[in-house]
């Protein structure tokens, strides 16, 4: 009998890398297990998982939104409405009853595209978000909306369909969320990087001339650009696109017949709402509609981010704009293979797009809870940015959105050489030694892509006790500089 070996598997998976759950995360989990032993000899008493935007993870402990959990509880166990009627506000009871009449038991499969009633709610949300004043279905067709197991499932599905040959390429921002390079590798396409620029005053910016240059270079090399990925607000940068840049991106897609993939899962994570109200999110759907552009657009959203932070429920959706009925039918065929997205995830989507309204019993608590989360993110981001920028060899650019900072770190030739001897990227060595000394797990910039000779790491703004947390980062960095120079 021949054993099952890596060589006997699909060779494409050998090229798949996913940095946010890679070597650092695995080592962090090993340390977490060691800490369970009271006789451990680690120099820290807890592991801080700053490597991934997972708000409700143990140790980060962002509290869930009460309204979301009350709806979820009643959908999971409808008898609670009778057994504990006073435990739930009247609007929660009414919403749960409404959903139950549409869905029935959440133990049953739903429509493969997602519960129709919830898709109509998503369409209303999109129209209201973008300021459309007519009937919502004229702006956002519920039949063009697909509920998914988180935004990642939708991204992977669309990439699998767009990449038709090994010469097909997908334009991705660098630095980028590693899902894109991983999925492109899995489906044997080619990543076409376009580099974001940065400055301490302006933060991270998208350069349309650089995108044009990347397209021209790819075509010259025999790669066929199929789609342009835009992450707004940015991950890992936290940048927010301005309207003129968005207009230009749409025009680029028109000129080169590109599908625009709009990753907008952080649209409700604007620290600027507290720090600088002039910064706001505009959807690429709104821009495309205003320009009356015919470009194919797929927009993604998720319950994992924003103030919900319900990562484990796997709720999300994507909307198809300017996608033909024939192509939508093929998308439906492919999602049908997976039967349906998780029902609790779909219910979470409903609470995302239909939060309590002013005057309803749940509104005051919802407003308090969401406001507290926004203020905490804004405060932590500001504190972390200021103190990291005070360290030698560190530049931390403004991050008006998302859940992350992406500081640039100057690493000496001595550090680069030491990392090379260990077979590591220099910022990976930095991140590993940070974990070993402090228990703080971050992701090296090399996992997201960066310009040659420039080093970063990504960390979340979700960690409570920010003064102690940043204090550990400061102490480690100063020790690193003493050891390797700057």
């Amino acid at each position: 009998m021949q054993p099952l070996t890596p060589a006997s598997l699909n060779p494409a998976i050998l090229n798949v890398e996913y940095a946010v759950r890679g070597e650092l995360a695995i080592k962090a989990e090993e340390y977490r297990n060691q800490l369970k032993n009271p006789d451990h000899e680690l120099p820290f008493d807890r592991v801080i998982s700053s490597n991934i935007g997972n708000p409700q993870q143990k140790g980060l402990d962002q509290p869930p939104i009460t309204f979301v959990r009350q709806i979820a509880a009643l959908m999971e166990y409808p008898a609670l409405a009778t057994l504990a009627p006073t435990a739930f506000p009247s609007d929660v009871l009414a919403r749960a009853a409404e959903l139950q009449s549409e869905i029935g038991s959440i133990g049953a499969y739903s429509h493969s595209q997602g519960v129709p009633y919830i898709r109509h709610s998503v369409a209303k949300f999109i129209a209201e978000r973008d300021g459309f004043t007519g009937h919502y279905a004229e702006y956002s067709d519920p039949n063009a909306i697909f509920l998914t197991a988180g935004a990642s499932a939708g991204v992977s599905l669309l990439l699998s369909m767009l990449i038709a040959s090994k010469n097909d390429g997908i334009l991705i921002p660098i630095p980028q969320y590693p899902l894109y390079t991983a999925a492109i590798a899995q489906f044997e396409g080619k990543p076409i990087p376009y580099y974001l620029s940065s400055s301490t005053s302006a933060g991270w910016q998208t350069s349309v001339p650089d995108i044009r240059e990347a397209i021209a270079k790819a075509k010259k090399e025999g790669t066929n650009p199929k789609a342009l990925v835009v992450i707004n607000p940015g991950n890992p940068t936290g940048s927010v696109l301005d309207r003129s840049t968005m207009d230009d991106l749409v025009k680029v897609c028109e000129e080169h017949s590109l599908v625009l993939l709009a990753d907008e899962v952080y649209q409700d994570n604007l620290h600027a709402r507290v720090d600088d109200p002039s910064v706001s999110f505009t959807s690429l759907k709104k821009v495309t509609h205003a320009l009356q552009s015919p470009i194919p657009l797929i927009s993604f959203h998720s319950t994992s981010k924003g103030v919900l932070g319900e990562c484990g429920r796997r709720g999300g959706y994507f909307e198809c704009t300017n996608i033909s009925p024939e192509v939508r039918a093929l998308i439906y065929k492919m999602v049908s293979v997976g039967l349906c997205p998780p029902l609790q995830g779909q219910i979470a989507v409903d609470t995302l797009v239909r939060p309590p309204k002013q005057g309803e019993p749940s509104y005051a608590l919802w407003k308090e809870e969401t406001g507290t989360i926004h203020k905490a993110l804004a405060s932590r981001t500001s504190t972390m940015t200021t103190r990291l920028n005070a360290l030698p060899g560190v530049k931390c650019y403004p991050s008006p959105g998302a859940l992350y900072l992406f500081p640039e770190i100057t690493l000496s030739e001595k550090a680069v050489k030491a990392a090379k001897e260990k077979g590591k990227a220099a910022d990976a060595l930095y991140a590993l030694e940070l974990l070993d000394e402090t228990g703080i797990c971050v992701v090296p910039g090399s996992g997201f892509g960066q310009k040659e000779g420039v080093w970063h790491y990504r960390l979340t703004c979700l960690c409570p006790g920010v003064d102690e947390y940043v204090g550990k980062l400061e102490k480690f960095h100063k020790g690193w500089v003493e050891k390797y120079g700057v």
Side-chain angles (χ1 to χ4, degrees):
M1 176 180 173
Q2 294 294 324
L4 183 64
T5 66
S8 61
L9 301 178
N10 183 341
I13 66 173
L14 301 179
N15 298 320
V16 173
E17 295 183 8
Y18 190 59
V20 295
R21 290 186 181 268
E23 178 185 14
L24 270 296
I26 293 170
K27 193 171 189 181
E29 189 60 32
E30 292 173 355
Y31 281 154
R32 194 173 281 108
N33 289 330
Q34 289 181 39
L35 288 170
K36 295 177 181 178
N37 183 348
D39 298 323
H40 73 83
E41 298 181 355
L42 295 173
F44 47 83
D45 58 7
R46 66 187 179 114
V47 170
I48 301 175
S49 298
S50 194
N51 59 306
I52 191 167
N54 189 16
Q56 296 184 31
Q57 182 175 354
K58 187 176 181 181
L60 302 183
D61 302 325
Q62 177 176 300
I65 302 300
T66 300
F67 180 76
V68 177
R69 291 302 181 89
Q70 287 177 330
I71 298 293
L74 287 169
M75 294 302 297
E76 195 72 45
Y77 189 37
L80 284 174
T82 303
L83 295 172
T86 60
F88 302 95
S90 60
D91 57 336
V92 168
L93 291 167
R95 174 73 63 84
E98 181 182 316
L99 289 171
Q100 286 159 8
S101 69
E102 293 290 334
I103 297 171
S105 171
I106 65 167
Y109 293 131
S110 76
H111 189 288
S112 293
Q113 199 169 333
V115 174
Y117 191 76
I118 297 177
R119 285 190 277 118
H120 278 266
S121 296
V122 172
K124 291 179 184 177
F125 161 79
I126 292 169
E128 290 173 1
R129 178 200 65 191
D130 292 350
F132 184 75
T133 57
H135 187 268
Y136 68 88
E138 296 173 6
Y139 182 79
S140 180
D141 180 0
N143 292 319
I145 292 167
F146 291 76
L147 304 185
T148 56
S152 298
V155 169
S156 295
L157 171 67
L158 269 298
L159 289 176
S160 74
M161 297 183 69
L162 286 168
I163 297 171
S165 79
K166 293 184 178 181
N167 290 325
D168 286 343
I170 308 294
L171 284 141
I172 55 172
I174 298 297
Q176 53 93 36
Y177 178 47
L179 165 67
Y180 291 96
T181 47
I184 292 167
Q186 179 183 356
F187 304 125
E188 301 186 273
K190 292 184 179 180
I192 305 173
Y194 65 92
Y195 288 88
L196 305 180
S197 59
S198 59
S199 69
T200 304
S201 58
W204 291 90
Q205 301 291 316
T206 298
S207 168
V208 175
D210 285 353
I211 292 176
R212 294 185 186 280
E213 186 177 327
I215 293 171
K217 182 175 182 288
K219 289 183 175 179
K220 186 176 180 180
E221 294 172 350
T223 298
N224 176 33
K226 296 289 289 290
L228 169 65
V229 172
V230 174
I231 307 175
N232 182 42
N235 176 9
T237 64
S239 57
V240 179
L241 287 173
D242 62 80
R243 180 58 184 268
S244 63
T245 299
M246 298 172 80
D247 287 351
D248 289 341
L249 292 172
V250 171
K251 292 171 186 175
V252 168
C253 290
E254 289 178 354
E255 293 167 15
H256 296 278
S257 298
L258 299 173
V259 178
L260 182 52
L261 301 177
D263 182 334
E264 297 173 335
V265 304
Y266 293 98
Q267 61 187 263
D268 196 35
N269 280 114
L270 292 188
H271 316 315
R273 287 180 174 174
V274 178
D275 292 341
D276 182 5
S278 67
V279 178
S280 60
F281 167 80
T282 301
S283 74
L284 277 159
K285 169 67 176 283
K286 183 175 182 177
V287 173
T288 301
H289 184 266
L291 295 174
Q292 296 185 319
S293 174
I295 66 164
L297 168 68
I298 311 290
S299 305
F300 303 91
H301 198 8
S302 172
T303 63
S304 298
K305 311 306 175 186
V307 290
L308 264 65
E310 294 285 353
C311 302
R313 291 188 185 277
R314 309 314 301 134
Y317 70 80
F318 65 83
E319 180 190 25
C320 301
T321 302
N322 297 330
I323 303 293
S324 71
E326 293 81 8
V327 172
R328 275 169 36 192
L330 291 173
I331 296 174
Y332 177 77
K333 179 175 73 171
M334 294 307 298
V335 300
S336 297
V337 174
L339 297 175
C340 74
L343 263 295
Q344 276 288 19
Q346 295 187 55
I347 292 161
V349 169
D350 189 78
T351 63
L352 169 71
V353 301
R354 285 203 297 161
K357 294 180 180 179
Q358 191 166 5
E360 294 179 342
S362 297
Y363 178 78
L365 180 58
W366 175 86
K367 187 70 174 177
E368 178 187 347
E369 291 174 339
T370 56
T372 297
I373 292 171
H374 277 302
K375 288 177 183 177
L377 287 171
S379 175
R380 291 172 191 158
T381 302
S382 177
T383 297
M384 292 165 68
T385 301
T386 300
R387 289 174 62 174
L388 288 172
N389 270 323
L391 293 172
V394 177
K395 297 177 184 176
C396 191
Y397 308 112
S399 172
L403 302 172
Y404 314 103
L405 291 173
F406 197 61
E408 178 183 329
I409 49 176
T410 301
L411 299 180
S412 66
E413 286 298 319
K414 181 179 179 181
V416 173
K417 182 180 178 182
K420 189 174 182 180
E421 289 172 354
K422 296 181 180 181
K424 307 287 184 187
D427 52 8
L429 179 64
Y430 182 98
L432 283 164
E433 292 197 7
L434 173 65
L435 175 61
D436 292 340
E437 293 186 24
T438 67
I440 297 174
C441 183
V442 300
V443 187
S446 47
F448 297 92
Q450 55 198 352
K451 292 180 180 179
E452 186 72 25
V454 182
W455 310 101
H456 302 84
Y457 65 92
R458 189 193 79 169
L459 71 169
T460 75
C461 307
L462 293 165
C463 303
V466 69
D467 288 331
E468 177 190 1
Y469 169 63
V470 179
K472 290 183 177 182
L473 292 171
E474 291 169 329
K475 182 179 178 181
F476 167 79
H477 185 80
K478 291 172 182 176
W480 171 278
V481 170
E482 288 180 8
K483 181 178 180 181
Y484 291 109
V486 66

